[in-house]
Amino acid sequence: MPYTKRRRLVSSAVAVALGATALAACGSSDDDGEAQSGPVSLTYWTWAPGMDKVVDLWNKGPGKKERITVTVKKQASGDTLVTKILTAHKAGKAPDLVQAEYQALPTLVSNDALADIADTVGDAKSKFADGVWQQTTLGTDAVYAVPQDIGPMMFYYRQDLFEKYGLTVPATWDEFAETARKLKKAAPDKDLTTFSANDSGLFAGLAQQAGARWWTTEGEKWKVGIDDAATRKVAGFWGGLVAEGAIDDQPMYTPAWNKALNTGKQIAWVSAVWAPGTLTTAAPDTEGKWAMAPLPQWNRGENRTGSWGGSSTAVTTDSEHQDAAARFAAWLNTDGDALNALAKESGIYPASTSAQLSGAFTNPPAYFSNQPDFYRKAAAIAQTTAPSAWGPNVNVAYTTFKDAFGAATKNKSDFTAALDAMQRDTVADLKKQGFEVAE
């Protein structure tokens, strides 16, 4: 592969050209005939629990008919898996299929680790919301993965305590701030929520909702916009609430945070569709007392949410059976039986819009049995997911977020200054890796 990192996926025109030629250059083959004339064995690296049981449905059904067998190899998630994939790819030994978080796709694509499977799975686009599908195309005509699960963001609140303190569910972020202040005045020992400086994905999703696009391209150069106006607005908003003491600033997922949720010291949580699972273990004594609503909006009348979490199924350029692997990836994330199994065995919230109101999602989560329309509301919110804009060094931006925002939170100092640090570190790292960066 002669392409340099800076030329890989740096503009729509270049990326489309690469998408059209990269597979041939990497030794891709059209294995439709091969799959029918001889058996094909594929390896799938994934961290999702119970995936082997889901894949068994393929191996005993469509896979048996097409003579395509998939073997699951359980892996760690996050940056650990990305590093392992890239290491294997450098040796030409990456698996056929990988589970990849959306923000990891640009890193894998820029290293020529993922194949363009548009010719095989392109028709699946109609199965997903535009903002979700866009995350697997990176804004090009290529398709580098099939969406699997998503994390549309929502607002969770204690219905009983909102009623007790005369609070209304905020429709805008201004109303959210006023709600936090009203609660603090009525019950100084309570907080509406917390700003957690160890949750870079949460902050990224909030910025996404506000219209931020942290990585874009100009010609053959990457442009980093972590300090753009939308993100500065979000940072200033949350930093202001922390500085005035209107909300808490403790990290999430700690015993202290769990206790605050379970005892009603914290009465709301900005989270995502997977929150019921977390609340079940963090706040077991409050089951049936919570409700879910759309995120507050920056402008009244808008209807947009961010995304926190989610992953896709991608085919590697090292695979000798890319078409067969792509057919499996499409089946896994669009077939009704496969999606029901993913929900049951892996606990995912499907990216496929048709699955969001069927099967396991016909009834609300047990923790939210008091809200029968939970999943109907969640599906409507998922459709409003704003487009994302990831780049090849998300890990660097996230690490700096934790350091810079952690210090700003502790000192109750300017959050926008922490954004400047994220911007500087991300740009410096891109240049260090050999990417060209537009200033």
Side-chain angles (χ1 to χ4, degrees):
M1 297 294 292
Y3 308 117
T4 63
K5 285 184 179 180
R6 70 177 181 83
R7 293 188 61 84
R8 188 74 164 103
L9 225 147
V10 292
S11 71
S12 294
V14 173
V16 171
L18 287 175
T21 61
L23 292 182
C26 290
S28 169
S29 63
D30 181 351
D31 55 16
D32 283 324
E34 181 182 5
Q36 296 175 5
S37 61
V40 170
S41 296
L42 305 174
T43 301
Y44 179 25
W45 284 5
T46 173
W47 67 82
M51 186 61 77
D52 53 337
K53 296 180 181 178
V54 182
V55 171
D56 277 347
L57 295 178
W58 165 269
N59 289 335
K60 295 175 181 178
K64 184 176 182 180
K65 180 179 180 181
E66 296 189 42
R67 305 180 72 187
I68 301 172
T69 302
V70 178
T71 300
V72 170
K73 298 291 186 181
K74 192 72 176 292
Q75 306 292 327
S77 60
D79 292 343
T80 301
L81 179 56
V82 173
T83 299
K84 187 172 182 179
I85 293 169
L86 293 178
T87 300
H89 172 60
K90 288 179 181 178
K93 296 181 179 179
D96 300 278
L97 296 129
V98 295
Q99 182 178 2
E101 293 177 300
Y102 296 114
Q103 67 266 26
L105 292 177
T107 299
L108 296 172
V109 172
S110 67
N111 283 277
D112 284 331
L114 300 188
D116 175 7
I117 53 176
D119 288 346
T120 306
V121 306
D123 290 345
K125 179 179 180 180
S126 62
K127 303 286 187 180
F128 307 94
D130 290 343
V132 173
W133 183 256
Q134 175 266 343
Q135 294 196 83
T136 65
T137 68
L138 308 186
T140 74
D141 289 339
V143 178
Y144 294 105
V146 180
Q148 183 163 106
D149 61 305
I150 55 174
M153 295 176 65
M154 303 159 184
F155 179 67
Y156 294 85
Y157 64 100
R158 283 281 299 271
Q159 278 184 310
D160 56 334
L161 296 182
F162 262 56
E163 182 178 350
K164 177 179 179 178
Y165 295 111
L167 307 176
T168 56
V169 178
T172 67
W173 287 113
D174 284 342
E175 290 179 358
F176 178 93
E178 288 305 314
T179 301
R181 297 180 183 115
K182 183 176 180 179
L183 173 65
K184 184 60 68 173
K185 184 176 181 179
D189 63 326
K190 297 186 181 298
D191 295 290
L192 180 64
T193 192
T194 187
F195 179 85
S196 179
N198 65 356
D199 283 281
S200 43
L202 169 59
F203 183 78
L206 291 170
Q208 177 188 348
Q209 185 213 17
R213 299 183 68 81
W214 285 1
W215 286 267
T216 54
T217 57
E218 287 187 1
E220 296 185 357
K221 299 180 179 180
W222 282 101
K223 185 173 180 62
V224 180
I226 292 175
D227 62 350
D228 64 8
T231 310
R232 296 181 82 84
K233 177 172 64 175
V234 173
F237 175 81
W238 288 95
L241 291 177
V242 169
E244 70 176 87
I247 61 173
D248 197 6
D249 60 4
Q250 69 170 310
M252 298 177 188
Y253 313 117
T254 64
W257 180 73
N258 290 348
K259 183 178 180 181
L261 291 175
N262 200 38
T263 60
K265 185 180 184 300
Q266 180 180 318
I267 71 169
W269 184 25
V270 175
S271 188
V273 70
W274 41 259
T278 300
L279 290 171
T280 298
T281 55
D285 295 341
T286 63
E287 180 176 338
K289 297 180 179 180
W290 291 78
M292 178 269 286
L295 274 190
Q297 302 293 309
W298 285 104
N299 297 298
R300 191 174 299 278
E302 289 181 346
N303 189 18
R304 181 163 57 182
T305 194
S307 182
W308 183 8
S311 63
S312 62
T313 308
V315 176
T316 71
T317 51
D318 289 345
S319 174
E320 296 180 357
H321 311 289
Q322 291 174 11
D323 285 351
R327 289 201 295 278
F328 166 77
W331 171 87
L332 180 65
N333 299 304
T334 62
D335 178 82
D337 291 338
L339 290 166
N340 283 334
L342 279 172
K344 178 183 178 182
E345 304 294 345
S346 304
I348 68 140
Y349 182 74
S352 170
T353 54
S354 64
Q356 292 166 5
L357 291 173
S358 63
F361 305 100
T362 302
N363 298 313
Y367 193 91
F368 281 79
S369 58
N370 56 303
Q371 190 172 13
D373 66 345
F374 182 95
Y375 281 124
R376 288 195 297 275
K377 186 171 288 186
I381 292 172
Q383 288 289 335
T384 71
T385 303
S388 64
W390 301 114
N393 61 342
V394 174
N395 60 318
V396 172
Y398 276 15
T399 297
T400 303
F401 169 86
K402 294 178 181 179
D403 294 340
F405 276 81
T409 300
K410 181 178 179 180
N411 300 327
K412 291 183 169 50
S413 58
D414 186 6
F415 276 21
T416 57
L419 273 186
D420 294 337
M422 289 180 67
Q423 177 79 12
R424 288 194 305 270
D425 286 2
T426 304
V427 169
D429 178 73
L430 282 177
K431 292 178 177 179
K432 182 179 179 180
Q433 290 192 57
F435 292 98
E436 289 191 9
V437 181
E439 300 295 342

